[in-house]
């Protein structure tokens, strides 16, 4: 794989390429992850999951298991402590009842936690867990997801989730010169980060400590305190190194089970999810069925835009994959209707997954724009240019910045778009049909209140303490650069400590808001410290510490549409005799605020684009309607893009600092995947003349569709 990035180089540390400050520790093994940190007297828990999809537990037959070597206890609904789920968690969301393990005898989906076996070693715990007999009273289940499910309902609530309508849709469609009405679908997809979910719980001097792999230690600490009715100050969660999260590493069953067992045994207990358990307990992206109706005048300007999306959720928790969300940002029309609906099925709860809503929603919307361009006889980039909104299509708010046209101009130049023949099915390379496609991308660029502390040490160095989470994004390094510039010192004099709930509240690593939120807090504390040092000039042995809180500053921000944008380009080769689709090259040009570290930013953009290849051509989790469980719930049965599938990928950006941010940051964690699958699907149409509206574009689907006659 070859990747390139140039971008704008800014003065100072921010904007210069910098290797990860913890990189040496990671490649030498000095960096310890949650599942490998040693503890004296450590016991090991192994979760037992239900083998039925819906029903009740009749009995948990523990006697034989308790007599097995090393087994210390078996927790289940008959003996587990009670927990409280009547609270509001992170981002105003109630807790998923799946985390309230062993509270009742109900089984609402396959893979529901029914017991925890704790033993002296992990091997003993696993052997005993696999021997545990659980008897059930099975009930009929429904796991079938379909666009016309009779129990689907519109989601009430704010515009980010529910229904938004303006204008007369029927009248504008009737007055349109060109109308498109098409349905699109995306399958169930799974995160499965390289590092499995792992947590160790122990009590130390009356205080609960949890060493975990998560995306926000305060998030986990506060929810554990709420679940177990503890004083939040008596709970400490640490998560120094995290091997990927992608939205899945919040509060899960393994942490709660570990706390229960550690409390009962008065010793440290570690629970690590297996790869197969992650397919049931770590969340996933819901499948979607989406309908897009577009009406345009003869020049391709939209008169009507309707985007409705249906996703699924569990019977115990409502999570909405808001696929209709991108339309509320990208394009306007006199009649503009968007709706997200959901249906409750006997399945595990879905959750946030990289670019939730935007990734599947952009596939449908950007494929539909490509189809409309074909119908209108207008170049796809030109069609998008003609439909650039001046204000937020739904909110009516001004955009903080919207440099999407600049992304398309630079991308078209770099990709060689001007020489493209728009007619499909004409280019060949031997047995391969060749095609190119493009798509737009957007993702929200918000900021959340955070606190940070910066200390001037007596030895001339500086220590930054902030409850950030580096889930592989390079956040630790980015904050080092931000702090160095704010302090006006070299990066070598700055140490950044993260991932400890004792550092105080801060935004989680999620929603492409982490680095922006943390950098704001670090900048505020560092600048105040620099001013104080300029006045005093003397640092006492204990150092000088300044603490910041950005709650007031962020609350004072004027309301605007704040987003990162991008233009994705792809070239594909399709063999219609075998059905094979190969992506030959990709280019992404992004307007994503000031780039703090070009080296790690490139990794984020390129990583998202690779995931887009995986989404377009490979990823698909399939449920067995009879058992309610997944086929092949492992990385052998669940296909992802590998090195052989990844072509030359280029990621670059245009100058796009956010004027309302002290560093100019927006967010880059998710924008890379948005639009990538649509660009590939549009390229497949250009190669073959056949439109694929369902992902993934598998060889059998290509063979069935064939080339355009």
């Amino acid at each position: 794989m070859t990747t390139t990035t140039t971008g704008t180089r800014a003065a100072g540390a921010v904007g210069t390429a910098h290797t990860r400050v913890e990189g040496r520790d990671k490649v030498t093994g000095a960096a310890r992850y949650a599942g490998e940190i040693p503890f004296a007297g450590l016991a090991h828990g192994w979760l037992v999951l239900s083998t039925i999809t819906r029903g009740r537990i009749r009995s948990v037959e523990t006697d034989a298991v308790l007599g097995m070597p090393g087994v210390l206890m078996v927790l289940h609904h008959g003996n587990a402590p009670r927990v409280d789920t009547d609270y509001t968690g992170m981002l105003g969301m109630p807790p998923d009842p799946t985390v309230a393990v062993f509270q009742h005898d109900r089984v609402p989906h396959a893979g529901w936690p029914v017991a925890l076996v704790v033993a002296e070693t992990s091997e003993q715990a696993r052997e005993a867990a696999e021997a545990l007999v659980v008897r059930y009273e099975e009930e009929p289940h429904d796991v079938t997801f379909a666009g016309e499910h009779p129990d689907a309902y519109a989601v009430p609530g704010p515009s980010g989730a529910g229904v938004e309508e303006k204008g007369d849709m029927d009248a504008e469609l009737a007055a349109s010169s060109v109308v498109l009405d098409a349905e699109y679908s995306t399958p169930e997809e799974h995160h499965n980060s390289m590092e499995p979910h792992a947590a160790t719980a122990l009590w130390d001097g009356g205080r609960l400590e949890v060493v975990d792999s998560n995306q926000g230690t305060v998030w986990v600490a506060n929810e554990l305190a709420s679940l177990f009715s503890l004083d939040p100050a008596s709970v400490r969660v640490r998560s120094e190194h995290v091997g990927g999260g992608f939205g899945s590493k919040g509060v899960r069953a393994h942490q709660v089970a570990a706390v229960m067992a550690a409390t009962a045994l008065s010793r440290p207990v570690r629970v690590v999810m297996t790869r197969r358990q992650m397919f049931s307990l770590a969340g996933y992206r819901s499948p979607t069925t989406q309908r897009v109706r577009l009406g345009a005048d003869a020049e391709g300007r939209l008169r009507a835009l309707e985007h409705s999306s249906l996703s699924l959720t569990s019977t115990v928790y409502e999570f909405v994959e808001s696929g209709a969300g991108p339309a509320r940002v990208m394009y306007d029309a006199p009649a503009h209707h968007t709706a997200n609906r959901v249906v409750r099925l006997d399945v595990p709860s879905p959750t946030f997954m990289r670019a939730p809503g935007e990734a599947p929603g952009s596939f449908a919307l950007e494929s539909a724009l490509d189809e409309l361009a074909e119908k209108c006889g207008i170049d796809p980039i030109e069609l998008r240019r003609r439909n650039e909104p001046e204000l937020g299509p739904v909110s009516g708010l001004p955009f903080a910045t919207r440099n999407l046209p600049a992304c398309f101009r630079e991308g078209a130049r770099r990709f060689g778009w001007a020489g493209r023949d728009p007619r499909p099915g004409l280019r060949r390379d031997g047995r391969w049909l060749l095609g190119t496609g493009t798509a737009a991308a957007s993702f929200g660029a918000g900021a959340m209140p955070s606190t940070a502390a910066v200390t001037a040490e007596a030895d001339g160095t500086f220590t930054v303490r902030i409850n950030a989470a580096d889930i592989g994004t390079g956040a630790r390094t980015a904050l080092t650069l931000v702090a160095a510039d704010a302090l006006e010192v070299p990066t070598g004099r700055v140490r950044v400590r993260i991932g400890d709930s004792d550092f105080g509240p801060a935004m989680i690593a999620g929603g492409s808001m982490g680095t922006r939120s943390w950098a704001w807090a670090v900048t505020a504390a560092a600048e105040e410290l620099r001013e104080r040092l300029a006045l005093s000039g003397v640092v006492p042995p204990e150092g000088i510490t300044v603490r910041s809180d950005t709650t007031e500053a962020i609350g004072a921000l004027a309301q605007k549409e704040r987003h990162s944008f991008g233009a994705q380009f792809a070239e594909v080769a399709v063999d219609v005799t075998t059905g094979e689709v190969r992506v030959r090259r990709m280019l992404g040009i992004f307007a994503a605020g000031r780039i703090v570290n070009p080296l790690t930013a490139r990794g984020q953009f390129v990583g998202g684009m690779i995931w887009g290849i995986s989404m377009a051509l490979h990823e698909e989790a399939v449920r067995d309607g009879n058992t309610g469980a997944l086929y092949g719930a492992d990385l052998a049965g669940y296909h992802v893009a590998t090195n052989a599938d990844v072509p030359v990928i280029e990621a670059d950006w245009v100058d796009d600092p956010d004027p309302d941010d002290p560093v100019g940051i927006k967010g880059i964690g998710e924008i890379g995947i948005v639009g990538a699958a649509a660009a590939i699907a549009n390229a497949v149409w250009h190669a073959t003349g056949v439109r694929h509206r369902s992902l993934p574009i598998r060889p059998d689907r290509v063979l069935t569709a064939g080339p355009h006659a």
Side-chain angles (χ1 to χ4, degrees), residues 420-438:
R420 177 183 186 263
D421 188 327
R423 295 173 297 172
L426 297 181
R427 290 178 59 206
R428 277 190 175 271
D429 179 8
R431 62 190 175 92
W432 300 94
L433 290 170
L434 305 182
T436 53
T438 190

Side-chain angles (χ1 to χ4, degrees), residues 667-692:
I668 64 173
E670 283 148 303
I671 187 70
I673 190 176
V674 181
I680 293 167
N682 292 339
V684 170
W685 168 81
H686 188 230
T688 64
V690 175
R691 180 67 59 175
H692 289 269

Side-chain angles (χ1 to χ4, degrees), residues 169-244:
M169 182 61 59
D170 291 337
E172 293 294 342
L173 286 171
S176 295
S177 301
V178 181
V179 173
L180 172 76
D181 187 343
E183 293 188 358
Y184 305 85
S185 66
T186 61
E188 180 176 324
E189 300 167 358
H190 285 258
H191 314 69
N192 267 267
S193 52
M194 186 177 294
E195 179 204 16
H197 296 57
T200 303
L202 64 151
W203 288 89
D204 184 5
R207 196 175 193 213
L208 174 64
E209 293 212 9
V210 178
V211 178
D212 188 26
S213 177
N214 63 55
Q215 294 179 227
T217 57
V218 168
W219 177 16
V220 175
N222 287 344
E223 298 228 2
L224 289 176
S226 296
L227 283 164
F228 289 96
S229 301
L230 300 171
D231 180 352
S234 69
V235 182
R236 182 188 187 190
V237 176
R238 290 181 288 140
S239 184
E240 185 177 4
H241 297 288
V242 182

Side-chain angles (χ1 to χ4, degrees), residues 313-503:
T313 192
S314 69
T315 59
V316 297
Y317 184 68
E318 182 180 88
F319 181 89
V320 181
E321 184 74 24
S322 53
R328 297 169 180 171
V329 174
M330 295 304 294
Y331 310 107
D332 201 358
H336 196 287
H337 294 191
T338 53
N340 291 296
R341 297 184 303 145
V342 70
V343 60
R344 293 182 180 270
L345 298 174
D346 301 313
V347 296
S349 301
T351 192
F352 303 104
M353 183 167 164
R354 195 175 198 173
E358 277 81 359
S362 72
F363 164 66
L365 181 64
E366 293 299 313
S367 294
L369 261 289
D370 203 68
E371 295 196 55
L372 182 67
E374 177 200 359
K375 281 178 169 285
C376 292
I378 299 173
D379 177 82
I381 295 177
E382 174 61 20
L383 181 80
R384 288 169 172 83
R385 187 194 66 78
R386 294 181 188 182
N387 285 287
E388 268 291 293
E390 294 184 4
L391 300 172
V394 170
S395 68
L397 295 172
F399 289 93
T401 63
R402 185 182 169 107
N403 288 330
L404 180 58
C407 294
F408 272 115
R409 284 194 300 271
E410 177 63 11
R413 183 189 67 80
R414 292 267 295 269
F415 197 73
W417 189 264
R420 177 183 186 263
D421 188 327
R423 295 173 297 172
L426 297 181
R427 290 178 59 206
R428 277 190 175 271
D429 179 8
R431 62 190 175 92
W432 300 94
L433 290 170
L434 305 182
T436 53
T438 190
S442 72
F443 197 84
M448 294 292 285
S450 297
T451 61
V454 182
T455 301
E457 309 288 359
D459 63 1
T461 63
F462 297 85
T463 302
V464 176
R465 293 175 177 84
I466 184 166
N467 200 3
D470 193 333
I471 60 175
T473 58
R476 191 186 270 103
T477 306
L479 294 177
T480 300
L481 305 185
V482 169
D485 275 6
L487 292 164
E488 298 182 354
V489 300
T491 57
R493 289 174 59 187
V494 177
R495 293 185 301 271
V496 174
R497 296 184 58 194
I498 64 173
D500 188 331
S501 61
D502 276 359
F503 293 163

Side-chain angles (χ1 to χ4, degrees), residues 138-157:
E138 196 164 359
E139 300 172 1
H141 62 258
D142 180 8
V143 299
T144 303
F145 179 70
E148 299 303 321
H149 198 287
D151 295 328
Y153 61 94
V155 181

Side-chain angles (χ1 to χ4, degrees), residues 100-160:
V101 291
F102 320 139
Q103 298 298 291
H104 51 73
D105 63 357
R106 292 291 310 167
V107 174
H109 62 72
W112 178 264
V114 296
L116 179 79
V117 177
V118 186
E120 296 288 353
T121 70
S122 178
E123 293 79 8
Q124 290 170 334
R126 177 176 184 171
E127 183 179 8
E130 291 176 348
L132 183 68
V133 175
V134 181
R135 302 194 186 279
Y136 303 93
E137 179 182 317
E138 196 164 359
E139 300 172 1
H141 62 258
D142 180 8
V143 299
T144 303
F145 179 70
E148 299 303 321
H149 198 287
D151 295 328
Y153 61 94
V155 181
S159 61

